[in-house]
Amino acid sequence: MKSKLFGSSGVRGLVNVDLTPVLVAKIGLAISTFSRAEKILVGRDTRVSGLMVENALVSGLLAGGVKVNCLGVVPTPVLAYLTRQLEADAGVMITASHNPPQYNGIKIFNGEGVAYNEESQDEIESIVENESFRLADWRNIGEASFIDESCLYTEMIRKNMRLTRKWHVIVDLGCGATCYIAPVLFGNLGCKVTAINAQPDGFFPGRSPEPNSESLKSLAKIVEDLGGDIGVAYDGDGDRVAFVDEDGCFVDFDRVLAAYAACVVKRNSGGAVVTNVEASICVERMVEACGGKVVRTRVGDVYVAEAMKRCDAVFGGEPCGAWIHPRFHFCPDGILSSVLLLKALEDEDKMLSEFLSEVPKYQIVRENVACKNEVKHKVMEKVDGGLRVLFPSCRQVSMVDGVRLSLEDGWILVRASGTEPFIRLTVEGESLKAAEEIMEKGVMFVRGLVGEVGR
Ligand code: MG
């Protein structure tokens, strides 16, 4: 099976191995061919290869006759927001998000600032494959210029948000795309700001571009040592956010998602919240208690955004820290999420640890079983029936993404990874012991299937 160019979040690859300037120029041409755009915005994160990829991409777009506005280094949500605001026909972000520095990638947004869905990505892919490009006549080759309009984004936040407390925010920018915007914005909102890893650097020398409990250890220590009110951290391109509470403890992604979702539902006196199949059931517990309902989608922010539009949701988010606020736009937005969380804490008159105190603590365990890409789908075909036999007490089966069984004391999800040669298992239980018992059965079962199909 030929591997696909686009994964669940655009094109990703090792620079000059998978993602060469030749391929990128072709993607640029394919984007102009498919979109028939007159104007396209281009942004990038701080990766070393950013300018190389940008030049190749812009070359392809210009050859297709597109007028290109380059924004330079901006967070992904800023690119998406400006695409709609400046009435461009599309926006292209050059980023590999939270991947290591040797990677880069391309994520495309439509004129509404919503990420291209699977069908649009497939079309681009087939244009690249067949090289069926629409090249402009020499007289109509596009023009490129640099513009700096990030202030439109910060103005939008400042106009809509007023903070009354003088928060001491310790913000870890991870040397990524949020460096230029986030510290200034917090300052403008009246916060005392201490910024770390605040210099743009594509080698990501301070920490991994993926914010998690491991990579945010120094942030947690600094919040504790300086007595900060909250720690905030973003991924490489600023569409994800992670938090550290006032005691210097890393905050569980699922629990803060659930608490914030419940807060939005309460404010709206109900409404739908969208999350993916991997999120904890604490999201349902919190949202339903406030009179809202939860809609589950496949893993990937594109699916969450599409479902949010469909059911007119009040909030949506994935447990990796990608939160979508439909009042503002439909791109996950780390900076906006952190400001909105501060606002919610003010409204509830709580510090972060208190804000989370009502969210039930369940235990989630995750495991990967190695499985060749070629046979992943064969294995998945057999998972459904077998899993039901393995867990006869199963109450409900969901096939939104892989197979997810609701059990008496938790749930199990088995799905094929969209990007790597793995079958991924996620289990949640009311205790760690319960979760581990379910996981052990699940892993044995999937390993057996992989062995059977592989033979
Ligand atoms: Mg990201």
Side-chain angles (χ1 to χ4, degrees), residues 97-98 235 237 239-240:
S97 186
H98 54 281
D235 71 337
D237 65 320
D239 59 353
R240 294 184 180 187

